PDB file of all heavy atoms in Angstrom:
ATOM      1  N   VAL O   1       0.899  -1.197  -0.010  1.00 85.00           N
ATOM      2  CA  VAL O   1       0.004   0.043  -0.067  1.00 85.00           C
ATOM      3  C   VAL O   1       0.876   1.248  -0.066  1.00 85.00           C
ATOM      4  O   VAL O   1       0.679   2.148  -0.767  1.00 85.00           O
ATOM      5  CB  VAL O   1      -1.020   0.074   1.196  1.00 85.00           C
ATOM      6  CG1 VAL O   1      -1.626   1.375   1.336  1.00 85.00           C
ATOM      7  CG2 VAL O   1      -2.082  -1.076   1.133  1.00 85.00           C
ATOM      8  N   GLY O   2       1.904   1.272   0.849  1.00 82.00           N
ATOM      9  CA  GLY O   2       2.780   2.437   0.957  1.00 82.00           C
ATOM     10  C   GLY O   2       3.557   2.781  -0.357  1.00 82.00           C
ATOM     11  O   GLY O   2       3.541   3.820  -0.805  1.00 82.00           O
ATOM     12  N   LEU O   3       4.055   1.706  -0.897  1.00 83.00           N
ATOM     13  CA  LEU O   3       4.790   1.731  -2.155  1.00 83.00           C
ATOM     14  C   LEU O   3       3.943   2.118  -3.339  1.00 83.00           C
ATOM     15  O   LEU O   3       4.299   2.713  -4.264  1.00 83.00           O
ATOM     16  CB  LEU O   3       5.662   0.627  -2.476  1.00 83.00           C
ATOM     17  CG  LEU O   3       6.871   0.462  -1.551  1.00 83.00           C
ATOM     18  CD1 LEU O   3       7.683  -0.870  -1.775  1.00 83.00           C
ATOM     19  CD2 LEU O   3       7.930   1.593  -1.782  1.00 83.00           C
ATOM     20  N   SER O   4       2.687   1.681  -3.283  1.00 87.00           N
ATOM     21  CA  SER O   4       1.746   1.974  -4.357  1.00 87.00           C
ATOM     22  C   SER O   4       1.401   3.433  -4.386  1.00 87.00           C
ATOM     23  O   SER O   4       1.294   4.033  -5.503  1.00 87.00           O
ATOM     24  CB  SER O   4       0.418   1.174  -4.209  1.00 87.00           C
ATOM     25  OG  SER O   4       0.660  -0.210  -4.410  1.00 87.00           O
ATOM     26  N   LEU O   5       1.268   4.091  -3.152  1.00 86.00           N
ATOM     27  CA  LEU O   5       1.002   5.454  -3.148  1.00 86.00           C
ATOM     28  C   LEU O   5       2.252   6.237  -3.689  1.00 86.00           C
ATOM     29  O   LEU O   5       2.109   7.294  -4.373  1.00 86.00           O
ATOM     30  CB  LEU O   5       0.715   5.894  -1.721  1.00 86.00           C
ATOM     31  CG  LEU O   5      -0.616   5.437  -1.122  1.00 86.00           C
ATOM     32  CD1 LEU O   5      -0.653   5.704   0.355  1.00 86.00           C
ATOM     33  CD2 LEU O   5      -1.812   5.969  -1.842  1.00 86.00           C
ATOM     34  N   HIS O   6       3.415   5.740  -3.327  1.00 83.00           N
ATOM     35  CA  HIS O   6       4.679   6.319  -3.811  1.00 83.00           C
ATOM     36  C   HIS O   6       4.691   6.231  -5.311  1.00 83.00           C
ATOM     37  O   HIS O   6       5.052   7.159  -6.047  1.00 83.00           O
ATOM     38  CB  HIS O   6       5.943   5.529  -3.141  1.00 83.00           C
ATOM     39  CG  HIS O   6       7.129   6.059  -3.549  1.00 83.00           C
ATOM     40  ND1 HIS O   6       8.344   5.541  -3.052  1.00 83.00           N
ATOM     41  CD2 HIS O   6       7.586   7.117  -4.478  1.00 83.00           C
ATOM     42  CE1 HIS O   6       9.389   6.179  -3.610  1.00 83.00           C
ATOM     43  NE2 HIS O   6       8.861   7.133  -4.384  1.00 83.00           N
ATOM     44  N   SER O   7       4.312   5.001  -5.898  1.00 87.00           N
ATOM     45  CA  SER O   7       4.361   4.905  -7.349  1.00 87.00           C
ATOM     46  C   SER O   7       3.346   5.739  -8.022  1.00 87.00           C
ATOM     47  O   SER O   7       3.614   6.255  -9.218  1.00 87.00           O
ATOM     48  CB  SER O   7       3.965   3.399  -7.634  1.00 87.00           C
ATOM     49  OG  SER O   7       4.999   2.548  -7.176  1.00 87.00           O
ATOM     50  N   LEU O   8       2.177   5.965  -7.315  1.00 89.00           N
ATOM     51  CA  LEU O   8       1.134   6.848  -7.899  1.00 89.00           C
ATOM     52  C   LEU O   8       1.748   8.236  -8.032  1.00 89.00           C
ATOM     53  O   LEU O   8       1.587   8.930  -9.106  1.00 89.00           O
ATOM     54  CB  LEU O   8      -0.067   6.894  -6.962  1.00 89.00           C
ATOM     55  CG  LEU O   8      -1.382   7.543  -7.509  1.00 89.00           C
ATOM     56  CD1 LEU O   8      -2.039   6.736  -8.498  1.00 89.00           C
ATOM     57  CD2 LEU O   8      -2.246   7.820  -6.338  1.00 89.00           C
ATOM     58  N   MET O   9       2.444   8.708  -7.121  1.00 88.00           N
ATOM     59  CA  MET O   9       3.061   9.993  -7.117  1.00 88.00           C
ATOM     60  C   MET O   9       4.187  10.127  -8.236  1.00 88.00           C
ATOM     61  O   MET O   9       4.251  11.075  -8.931  1.00 88.00           O
ATOM     62  CB  MET O   9       3.706  10.347  -5.824  1.00 88.00           C
ATOM     63  CG  MET O   9       2.719  10.590  -4.592  1.00 88.00           C
ATOM     64  SD  MET O   9       3.479  10.819  -3.059  1.00 88.00           S
ATOM     65  CE  MET O   9       4.459  12.369  -3.304  1.00 88.00           C
ATOM     66  N   ASP O  10       4.868   9.021  -8.393  1.00 88.00           N
ATOM     67  CA  ASP O  10       5.865   8.989  -9.527  1.00 88.00           C
ATOM     68  C   ASP O  10       5.186   9.157 -10.834  1.00 88.00           C
ATOM     69  O   ASP O  10       5.740   9.925 -11.729  1.00 88.00           O
ATOM     70  CB  ASP O  10       6.542   7.631  -9.532  1.00 88.00           C
ATOM     71  CG  ASP O  10       7.759   7.520  -8.495  1.00 88.00           C
ATOM     72  OD1 ASP O  10       8.110   8.706  -7.994  1.00 88.00           O
ATOM     73  OD2 ASP O  10       8.158   6.476  -8.255  1.00 88.00           O
ATOM     74  N   GLY O  11       4.051   8.528 -11.063  1.00 88.00           N
ATOM     75  CA  GLY O  11       3.291   8.675 -12.234  1.00 88.00           C
ATOM     76  C   GLY O  11       2.805  10.098 -12.551  1.00 88.00           C
ATOM     77  O   GLY O  11       2.855  10.610 -13.602  1.00 88.00           O
ATOM     78  N   VAL O  12       2.215  10.704 -11.486  1.00 89.00           N
ATOM     79  CA  VAL O  12       1.953  12.159 -11.560  1.00 89.00           C
ATOM     80  C   VAL O  12       3.144  13.032 -11.886  1.00 89.00           C
ATOM     81  O   VAL O  12       2.891  13.898 -12.786  1.00 89.00           O
ATOM     82  CB  VAL O  12       1.249  12.573 -10.206  1.00 89.00           C
ATOM     83  CG1 VAL O  12       1.028  14.096 -10.178  1.00 89.00           C
ATOM     84  CG2 VAL O  12      -0.075  11.855  -9.927  1.00 89.00           C
ATOM     85  N   ALA O  13       4.241  12.687 -11.216  1.00 88.00           N
ATOM     86  CA  ALA O  13       5.438  13.534 -11.445  1.00 88.00           C
ATOM     87  C   ALA O  13       5.824  13.426 -13.010  1.00 88.00           C
ATOM     88  O   ALA O  13       6.286  14.364 -13.673  1.00 88.00           O
ATOM     89  CB  ALA O  13       6.573  12.989 -10.630  1.00 88.00           C
ATOM     90  N   ILE O  14       5.831  12.250 -13.628  1.00 87.00           N
ATOM     91  CA  ILE O  14       6.171  12.093 -15.030  1.00 87.00           C
ATOM     92  C   ILE O  14       5.220  12.953 -15.951  1.00 87.00           C
ATOM     93  O   ILE O  14       5.761  13.764 -16.784  1.00 87.00           O
ATOM     94  CB  ILE O  14       6.026  10.645 -15.399  1.00 87.00           C
ATOM     95  CG1 ILE O  14       7.127   9.812 -14.740  1.00 87.00           C
ATOM     96  CG2 ILE O  14       6.156  10.461 -16.949  1.00 87.00           C
ATOM     97  CD1 ILE O  14       6.980   8.231 -14.907  1.00 87.00           C
ATOM     98  N   ALA O  15       4.022  12.926 -15.673  1.00 87.00           N
ATOM     99  CA  ALA O  15       3.109  13.575 -16.561  1.00 87.00           C
ATOM    100  C   ALA O  15       3.284  15.139 -16.355  1.00 87.00           C
ATOM    101  O   ALA O  15       3.265  15.995 -17.304  1.00 87.00           O
ATOM    102  CB  ALA O  15       1.590  13.288 -16.171  1.00 87.00           C
ATOM    103  N   ALA O  16       3.510  15.535 -15.120  1.00 86.00           N
ATOM    104  CA  ALA O  16       3.728  17.089 -14.932  1.00 86.00           C
ATOM    105  C   ALA O  16       5.038  17.478 -15.520  1.00 86.00           C
ATOM    106  O   ALA O  16       4.991  18.560 -16.185  1.00 86.00           O
ATOM    107  CB  ALA O  16       3.688  17.281 -13.355  1.00 86.00           C
ATOM    108  N   ALA O  17       6.099  16.755 -15.421  1.00 86.00           N
ATOM    109  CA  ALA O  17       7.293  17.081 -15.922  1.00 86.00           C
ATOM    110  C   ALA O  17       7.259  17.227 -17.543  1.00 86.00           C
ATOM    111  O   ALA O  17       7.912  18.070 -18.075  1.00 86.00           O
ATOM    112  CB  ALA O  17       8.406  16.287 -15.460  1.00 86.00           C
ATOM    113  N   LEU O  18       6.550  16.272 -17.997  1.00 84.00           N
ATOM    114  CA  LEU O  18       6.444  16.261 -19.511  1.00 84.00           C
ATOM    115  C   LEU O  18       5.522  17.334 -20.085  1.00 84.00           C
ATOM    116  O   LEU O  18       5.613  17.697 -21.220  1.00 84.00           O
ATOM    117  CB  LEU O  18       5.771  14.907 -20.002  1.00 84.00           C
ATOM    118  CG  LEU O  18       6.735  13.686 -19.909  1.00 84.00           C
ATOM    119  CD1 LEU O  18       6.032  12.442 -20.133  1.00 84.00           C
ATOM    120  CD2 LEU O  18       7.904  13.821 -20.866  1.00 84.00           C
ATOM    121  N   ALA O  19       4.788  17.958 -19.129  1.00 81.00           N
ATOM    122  CA  ALA O  19       3.880  19.008 -19.592  1.00 81.00           C
ATOM    123  C   ALA O  19       4.601  20.400 -19.558  1.00 81.00           C
ATOM    124  O   ALA O  19       4.053  21.415 -19.986  1.00 81.00           O
ATOM    125  CB  ALA O  19       2.664  19.128 -18.631  1.00 81.00           C
ATOM    126  N   THR O  20       5.849  20.441 -18.872  1.00 80.00           N
ATOM    127  CA  THR O  20       6.516  21.678 -18.838  1.00 80.00           C
ATOM    128  C   THR O  20       7.077  22.074 -20.199  1.00 80.00           C
ATOM    129  O   THR O  20       7.358  21.199 -21.026  1.00 80.00           O
ATOM    130  CB  THR O  20       7.652  21.700 -17.814  1.00 80.00           C
ATOM    131  OG1 THR O  20       8.632  20.674 -18.293  1.00 80.00           O
ATOM    132  CG2 THR O  20       7.107  21.363 -16.465  1.00 80.00           C
ATOM    133  N   HIS O  21       7.297  23.379 -20.437  1.00 72.00           N
ATOM    134  CA  HIS O  21       7.782  23.865 -21.715  1.00 72.00           C
ATOM    135  C   HIS O  21       9.343  23.928 -21.622  1.00 72.00           C
ATOM    136  O   HIS O  21      10.042  24.905 -21.711  1.00 72.00           O
ATOM    137  CB  HIS O  21       7.272  25.315 -22.036  1.00 72.00           C
ATOM    138  CG  HIS O  21       5.806  25.229 -22.158  1.00 72.00           C
ATOM    139  ND1 HIS O  21       5.140  24.662 -23.132  1.00 72.00           N
ATOM    140  CD2 HIS O  21       4.756  25.827 -21.370  1.00 72.00           C
ATOM    141  CE1 HIS O  21       3.796  24.749 -23.084  1.00 72.00           C
ATOM    142  NE2 HIS O  21       3.616  25.506 -21.924  1.00 72.00           N
ATOM    143  N   SER O  22       9.902  22.717 -21.262  1.00 78.00           N
ATOM    144  CA  SER O  22      11.314  22.611 -21.278  1.00 78.00           C
ATOM    145  C   SER O  22      11.773  21.071 -21.426  1.00 78.00           C
ATOM    146  O   SER O  22      10.858  20.300 -21.939  1.00 78.00           O
ATOM    147  CB  SER O  22      11.818  23.037 -19.822  1.00 78.00           C
ATOM    148  OG  SER O  22      11.413  22.061 -18.854  1.00 78.00           O
ATOM    149  N   ASN O  23      13.006  20.842 -21.283  1.00 81.00           N
ATOM    150  CA  ASN O  23      13.423  19.481 -21.384  1.00 81.00           C
ATOM    151  C   ASN O  23      13.474  18.652 -20.090  1.00 81.00           C
ATOM    152  O   ASN O  23      14.074  17.674 -20.043  1.00 81.00           O
ATOM    153  CB  ASN O  23      14.789  19.435 -21.977  1.00 81.00           C
ATOM    154  CG  ASN O  23      14.884  19.709 -23.556  1.00 81.00           C
ATOM    155  OD1 ASN O  23      13.935  19.329 -24.199  1.00 81.00           O
ATOM    156  ND2 ASN O  23      15.846  20.366 -24.018  1.00 81.00           N
ATOM    157  N   LEU O  24      12.708  19.092 -19.158  1.00 86.00           N
ATOM    158  CA  LEU O  24      12.717  18.395 -17.873  1.00 86.00           C
ATOM    159  C   LEU O  24      12.067  17.094 -17.942  1.00 86.00           C
ATOM    160  O   LEU O  24      12.533  16.208 -17.196  1.00 86.00           O
ATOM    161  CB  LEU O  24      11.834  19.292 -16.953  1.00 86.00           C
ATOM    162  CG  LEU O  24      11.816  18.754 -15.432  1.00 86.00           C
ATOM    163  CD1 LEU O  24      13.229  18.814 -14.829  1.00 86.00           C
ATOM    164  CD2 LEU O  24      10.851  19.678 -14.561  1.00 86.00           C
ATOM    165  N   GLY O  25      11.031  16.834 -18.752  1.00 84.00           N
ATOM    166  CA  GLY O  25      10.351  15.544 -18.718  1.00 84.00           C
ATOM    167  C   GLY O  25      11.260  14.396 -18.859  1.00 84.00           C
ATOM    168  O   GLY O  25      11.194  13.469 -18.062  1.00 84.00           O
ATOM    169  N   PRO O  26      12.121  14.273 -19.972  1.00 86.00           N
ATOM    170  CA  PRO O  26      12.907  12.988 -20.068  1.00 86.00           C
ATOM    171  C   PRO O  26      13.917  12.863 -18.981  1.00 86.00           C
ATOM    172  O   PRO O  26      14.200  11.723 -18.530  1.00 86.00           O
ATOM    173  CB  PRO O  26      13.661  13.293 -21.382  1.00 86.00           C
ATOM    174  CG  PRO O  26      12.798  14.205 -22.184  1.00 86.00           C
ATOM    175  CD  PRO O  26      12.104  15.075 -21.078  1.00 86.00           C
ATOM    176  N   LEU O  27      14.360  13.957 -18.356  1.00 89.00           N
ATOM    177  CA  LEU O  27      15.307  13.841 -17.161  1.00 89.00           C
ATOM    178  C   LEU O  27      14.631  13.248 -15.992  1.00 89.00           C
ATOM    179  O   LEU O  27      15.224  12.416 -15.241  1.00 89.00           O
ATOM    180  CB  LEU O  27      15.850  15.209 -16.839  1.00 89.00           C
ATOM    181  CG  LEU O  27      16.796  15.848 -17.972  1.00 89.00           C
ATOM    182  CD1 LEU O  27      17.158  17.251 -17.510  1.00 89.00           C
ATOM    183  CD2 LEU O  27      18.005  14.952 -18.208  1.00 89.00           C
ATOM    184  N   VAL O  28      13.405  13.674 -15.727  1.00 89.00           N
ATOM    185  CA  VAL O  28      12.648  13.124 -14.603  1.00 89.00           C
ATOM    186  C   VAL O  28      12.274  11.675 -14.803  1.00 89.00           C
ATOM    187  O   VAL O  28      12.392  10.832 -14.044  1.00 89.00           O
ATOM    188  CB  VAL O  28      11.301  14.005 -14.418  1.00 89.00           C
ATOM    189  CG1 VAL O  28      10.386  13.255 -13.349  1.00 89.00           C
ATOM    190  CG2 VAL O  28      11.671  15.328 -13.915  1.00 89.00           C
ATOM    191  N   VAL O  29      11.900  11.347 -16.082  1.00 87.00           N
ATOM    192  CA  VAL O  29      11.613   9.960 -16.420  1.00 87.00           C
ATOM    193  C   VAL O  29      12.762   9.072 -16.134  1.00 87.00           C
ATOM    194  O   VAL O  29      12.733   7.942 -15.598  1.00 87.00           O
ATOM    195  CB  VAL O  29      11.135   9.783 -17.874  1.00 87.00           C
ATOM    196  CG1 VAL O  29      11.092   8.326 -18.369  1.00 87.00           C
ATOM    197  CG2 VAL O  29       9.798  10.423 -18.057  1.00 87.00           C
ATOM    198  N   LEU O  30      13.997   9.458 -16.513  1.00 87.00           N
ATOM    199  CA  LEU O  30      15.228   8.764 -16.396  1.00 87.00           C
ATOM    200  C   LEU O  30      15.486   8.525 -14.811  1.00 87.00           C
ATOM    201  O   LEU O  30      15.894   7.375 -14.405  1.00 87.00           O
ATOM    202  CB  LEU O  30      16.370   9.450 -17.066  1.00 87.00           C
ATOM    203  CG  LEU O  30      17.702   8.702 -17.002  1.00 87.00           C
ATOM    204  CD1 LEU O  30      17.550   7.367 -17.693  1.00 87.00           C
ATOM    205  CD2 LEU O  30      18.778   9.552 -17.656  1.00 87.00           C
ATOM    206  N   GLY O  31      15.284   9.636 -14.041  1.00 88.00           N
ATOM    207  CA  GLY O  31      15.451   9.468 -12.664  1.00 88.00           C
ATOM    208  C   GLY O  31      14.486   8.382 -12.047  1.00 88.00           C
ATOM    209  O   GLY O  31      14.868   7.514 -11.202  1.00 88.00           O
ATOM    210  N   ILE O  32      13.141   8.523 -12.449  1.00 86.00           N
ATOM    211  CA  ILE O  32      12.276   7.511 -11.905  1.00 86.00           C
ATOM    212  C   ILE O  32      12.596   6.108 -12.359  1.00 86.00           C
ATOM    213  O   ILE O  32      12.463   5.150 -11.683  1.00 86.00           O
ATOM    214  CB  ILE O  32      10.777   8.019 -12.351  1.00 86.00           C
ATOM    215  CG1 ILE O  32      10.477   9.245 -11.546  1.00 86.00           C
ATOM    216  CG2 ILE O  32       9.795   6.894 -12.149  1.00 86.00           C
ATOM    217  CD1 ILE O  32       9.156   9.830 -11.972  1.00 86.00           C
TER     218      ILE O  32
END
């Protein structure tokens, strides 16, 4: 349960980073 909530936040982070007008998205995806 705890790690699933963590994973949910990771997924939100990926979508938010990819929505920025920069190259942040792929860098965040690589970290995750």
